[in-house]
Amino acid sequence: MLGCHRSLPRDLALREAVAAKRYAAGGKPASAGLWFYQRPDVVSHTFEGERRTVVLTSVDPWRWTGVVPRHGELHAGVQILPEAWQVIRALRAWVVVRNGSEREVLDVVGTAERRRPRWLDFTADLSHWGGHEVTLEFHAVLTGLPPANRHTNVVAWGPVRLSAPMAQSARPNVLFILVDTLRFDHLTAYGYRRDTSPEIARTLARPGAVVESAYAQAPWTLPSVVSFLTSREPGEVLGDDFAAYSIPPGVPALAEEMAKQGYETGGFFGNRLLHAGNGFARGFDTFFSPTPEMTVDDNQPDAAQVTARVLPWLEAHRHQPFFLYVHYIDPHDPYDNPEIVDNRSPFEATSCPTCVPGRWIQGVYAGKIPLADPQRDTEHLKALYDSEIHYADRFIGRLIDSLPPEVRRNTLIVLTADHGEELHEHGGWKHGFTLYEEQIHVPLIFRWDGHIPAGSRLRGTVRLLDLAPTLLRAVGGKPAPSWEGVDLLPALRREAPLPRLAAFARHMMIGPLRTAAVLDGRKLILFNPRTPYTPKNELEAYLWTQDLHRLRRAELYDLSRDAGERSDLAAASQGEIARLQPAIHRQLGRELPGLRVVAAGFPAGARVQGMLTLDRPPARWDSSFLA
């Protein structure tokens, strides 16, 4: 038992202790705290797309001596430097617990081999040792390590934590779940005819709040995610070259602000577009994005693979304030997952051998693969898309259920999507080019037990750029001055009405400008068909021709009566257009540099002529929404 003559540590946070130089090295092992055979290093270590801040040691065992807290739990992760796998054949690690003559080997870390050099993560229950002074010895053996390199720092430990459940904090943990390409109207919680998402309904919608009208600020991933992580309209943050879209240096992002609040931050991105090179790793202590080698033939990590990476992180950090962002790539195309067998979705009563496979949807989108039976094939592709939702839903339920009840009670959980998916409702497929409901109206569900009424529904227009200030306010932080969103918590708690703000969206993709504004159940879409535009390749030419045939310069919809946007009211509702147009023009005035000239208020058929004199030649000019 612990003697009263000395003070011993009661927790272990390896990275933080080594960074603060709270350890001993060399000579006789320390009688308390951390000891290493030789000095360790703290480095940023990336392996198989996952970056962790780790402590590098030699293969010599290192030790920690202290008191195990009541209900103590040890988590450890270990790997070696990537270049070491050129000579190392296998890594095996284990932990020994010593207390006097008692000794227990925690042989649960396992073995990694060169053919599958994975991170080794494990969690061990040390409650048996609660209240006792112990020494934890951390061992690693590298098969094939040359003797001359025995004392080289090559073993990467991280995270390593000994912790215990804390009393409930006044500040919540935050779990942000993003499901790529998820339509709101294909979810169980939004009344869909198929039960695609029973786990989201069980773990989020019933004990939480469903936002009925939430809008992404762009219909594809890069600008949309930049927007809600920086609480800015994407056109204000990004340039015109969509291939270079990133979170620019100096623009405050959500994870950075959470880290400033003292939160441990983890970001797991299943979409390869969102990588460290374009700024998405900023603010995350642990960050994962698939490498090119992991995404051959468009095989990006599915929900099972992403969840398998997230759960060890969550186990390691659930007893401290955390911000966790999980980005599932399902149900982004291709529509294919283990639930789909022989091109048949679980939602289909019979198989259809001649139907278009879900892996061919890119060819359908590009006009290369015609549908032999358009009605049948469309319904088949919808069923495959729905099975993608169902597959992701299973692992979202597993993720939320992994939180112990006391941790879940103190966790604010939000689920949303970066955009939706067109399934031929307006003559096209996939996403990125139009601003109809199927592409920008996204699901948004909050759960925070005891703070947000269970089973509630929030009506009114909400923007995804409102998420960052909402989450930061929830943890007691102050939104960055550049953030444009509003705090939704008062409305979610039913303490105040939802602010009445228009949701603006812009396509942010190749081709002439198209924008939209949504307010009070009305939606105005503007398109630039008269702007000179020359497609660069065959795909762009096909998509541009398709858009010229299906999009009009101005479209107006009453979403409360026409959710499918089938009845365009623009021709007979010039007054309504005049009411919504300023929201679009004001935003474009902030996004597009230079002088804007707007002609408005003229009756239909009027001819307008004018002259503008400048004191120097303009660098360029653009026509916008010419009638």
Side-chain angles (χ1 to χ4, degrees):
M1 288 290 292
L2 171 67
C4 61
H5 61 284
R6 57 181 177 147
S7 176
L8 293 175
R10 291 177 176 266
D11 59 11
L12 168 62
L14 181 65
R15 182 194 71 202
E16 292 87 341
V18 173
K21 301 188 183 304
R22 297 194 302 269
Y23 66 88
K28 185 180 179 181
S31 60
L34 273 174
W35 174 86
F36 298 90
Y37 180 84
Q38 65 181 28
R39 291 189 180 278
D41 301 305
V42 178
V43 300
S44 179
H45 175 59
T46 300
F47 190 84
E48 289 191 323
E50 185 171 336
R51 188 201 69 192
R52 304 184 185 184
T53 303
V54 300
V55 173
L56 275 184
T57 73
S58 65
V59 294
D60 303 286
W62 58 275
R63 302 178 182 180
W64 175 86
T65 299
V67 177
V68 175
R70 187 182 179 189
H71 305 302
E73 190 176 83
L74 174 67
H75 181 89
V78 63
Q79 203 11 275
I80 61 175
L81 294 178
E83 56 268 26
W85 283 111
Q86 297 176 16
V87 295
I88 301 302
R89 296 191 300 274
L91 159 67
R92 181 167 177 260
W94 68 95
V95 181
V96 176
V97 185
R98 297 183 185 276
N99 172 242
S101 60
E102 291 187 72
R103 179 175 179 271
E104 179 183 359
V105 179
L106 304 178
D107 193 13
V108 294
V109 181
T111 301
E113 299 177 341
R114 185 186 297 170
R115 59 187 175 84
R116 190 169 177 260
R118 59 194 176 91
W119 281 99
L120 297 179
D121 288 285
F122 85 100
T123 299
D125 180 5
L126 297 187
S127 56
H128 167 71
W129 300 97
H132 292 262
E133 175 187 337
V134 304
T135 294
L136 302 177
E137 293 180 353
F138 294 80
H139 296 257
V141 170
L142 305 183
T143 305
L145 179 69
N149 297 112
R150 175 171 177 78
H151 301 307
T152 302
N153 284 351
V154 69
V155 183
W157 295 90
V160 177
R161 291 187 178 276
L162 171 62
S163 59
M166 303 181 301
Q168 181 165 315
S169 169
R171 300 194 304 165
N173 309 305
V174 177
L175 171 55
F176 190 137
I177 302 171
L178 191 289
V179 185
D180 207 299
T181 321
L182 178 61
R183 288 177 58 140
F184 86 101
D185 58 348
H186 278 235
L187 285 184
T188 302
Y190 286 87
Y192 188 47
R193 60 188 174 90
R194 289 173 172 153
D195 192 12
T196 57
S197 46
E199 292 300 301
I200 292 174
R202 176 182 67 86
T203 61
L204 291 173
R206 290 180 198 136
V210 174
V211 177
E212 295 194 344
S213 299
Y215 286 89
Q217 275 51 76
W220 63 290
T221 298
L222 273 171
S224 178
V225 177
V226 167
S227 177
F228 65 68
L229 289 183
T230 64
S231 189
R232 298 276 299 278
E233 294 286 354
E236 297 177 23
V237 180
L238 305 172
D240 293 330
D241 181 9
F242 76 87
Y245 281 176
S246 62
I247 300 178
V251 176
L254 177 58
E256 292 176 305
E257 298 303 307
M258 285 290 184
K260 291 178 183 177
Q261 298 299 313
Y263 277 64
E264 188 74 23
T265 56
F268 295 81
F269 292 73
N271 191 321
R272 64 187 173 196
L273 291 179
L274 310 174
H275 53 80
N278 54 16
F280 290 95
R282 280 177 28 211
F284 287 111
D285 299 308
T286 301
F287 176 82
F288 166 74
S289 179
T291 63
E293 296 77 18
M294 300 169 67
T295 58
V296 177
D297 297 328
D298 280 338
N299 290 320
Q300 302 194 76
D302 67 12
Q305 294 166 312
V306 170
T307 304
R309 289 181 177 271
V310 172
L311 291 181
W313 187 96
L314 200 50
E315 283 189 341
H317 300 97
R318 63 193 181 192
H319 298 320
Q320 62 187 127
F322 66 78
F323 168 66
L324 173 60
Y325 176 94
V326 184
H327 189 124
Y328 289 106
I329 189 63
D330 328 71
H332 194 287
D333 71 287
Y335 309 147
D336 191 21
N337 65 65
E339 292 186 358
I340 298 172
V341 179
D342 295 331
N343 194 32
R344 178 183 174 186
S345 164
F347 295 108
E348 293 178 297
T350 60
S351 61
C352 181
T354 60
C355 286
V356 173
R359 296 197 66 84
W360 293 5
I361 187 64
Q362 175 67 21
V364 176
Y365 161 80
K368 297 291 188 180
I369 299 177
L371 301 182
D373 186 334
Q375 182 175 357
R376 180 203 63 184
D377 282 322
T378 296
E379 289 305 311
H380 170 66
L381 289 170
K382 286 182 180 179
L384 296 181
Y385 172 83
D386 288 343
S387 72
E388 288 278 88
I389 298 174
H390 189 261
Y391 184 72
D393 175 76
R394 185 203 315 175
F395 292 95
I396 290 170
R398 186 173 301 177
L399 173 63
I400 295 173
D401 286 342
S402 73
L403 294 170
E406 68 276 8
V407 176
R408 189 163 55 245
R409 282 193 295 270
N410 195 42
T411 300
L412 169 56
I413 308 173
V414 57
L415 178 140
T416 189
D418 50 351
H419 55 79
E421 183 86 325
E422 183 176 0
L423 299 168
H424 207 53
E425 286 84 1
H426 290 91
W429 297 91
K430 293 181 52 172
H431 53 269
F433 284 90
T434 75
L435 300 170
Y436 294 119
E437 291 289 278
E438 58 265 19
Q439 291 204 36
I440 64 170
H441 188 165
V442 294
L444 181 57
I445 306 174
F446 291 87
R447 176 181 177 180
W448 189 9
D449 296 356
H451 296 268
I452 295 175
S456 58
R457 300 186 84 88
L458 181 63
R459 294 174 174 82
T461 305
V462 169
R463 309 162 302 173
L464 288 193
L465 60 81
D466 296 324
L467 288 178
T470 300
L471 300 180
L472 197 62
R473 285 288 190 189
V475 305
K478 184 178 180 181
S482 64
W483 287 7
E484 298 172 353
V486 299
D487 181 6
L488 301 174
L489 279 177
L492 289 166
R493 289 168 157 168
R494 298 180 176 174
E495 298 170 350
L498 182 69
R500 182 176 173 272
L501 296 169
F504 175 84
R506 181 177 162 192
H507 88 303
M508 302 297 292
M509 182 61 89
I510 55 175
L513 184 66
R514 52 209 77 176
T515 62
V518 182
L519 183 65
D520 299 334
R522 299 293 195 276
K523 182 178 184 180
L524 175 64
I525 305 174
L526 298 182
F527 174 48
N528 235 359
R530 291 175 179 250
T531 295
Y533 169 62
T534 302
K536 297 178 181 178
N537 53 51
E538 185 181 0
L539 175 61
E540 290 185 15
Y542 171 78
L543 296 173
W544 176 236
T545 301
Q546 176 178 261
D547 286 349
L548 284 175
H549 282 91
R550 64 179 178 152
L551 307 180
R552 292 173 288 280
R553 191 200 75 86
E555 299 176 50
L556 179 70
Y557 298 101
D558 180 352
L559 300 176
S560 63
R561 299 181 180 182
D562 180 23
E565 296 166 300
R566 296 300 181 187
S567 179
D568 179 11
L569 307 176
S573 306
Q574 292 301 310
E576 193 72 14
I577 291 177
R579 185 178 73 89
L580 286 172
Q581 265 190 152
I584 291 176
H585 289 308
R586 279 195 301 269
Q587 183 55 41
L588 291 178
R590 287 190 286 267
E591 295 184 10
L592 303 178
L595 175 69
R596 290 185 60 80
V597 179
V598 179
F602 297 98
R607 297 181 64 84
V608 181
Q609 186 176 36
M611 180 178 292
L612 180 67
T613 303
L614 304 175
D615 60 4
R616 61 184 183 275
R620 58 181 282 191
W621 67 273
D622 295 293
S623 59
S624 297
F625 313 128
L626 292 181

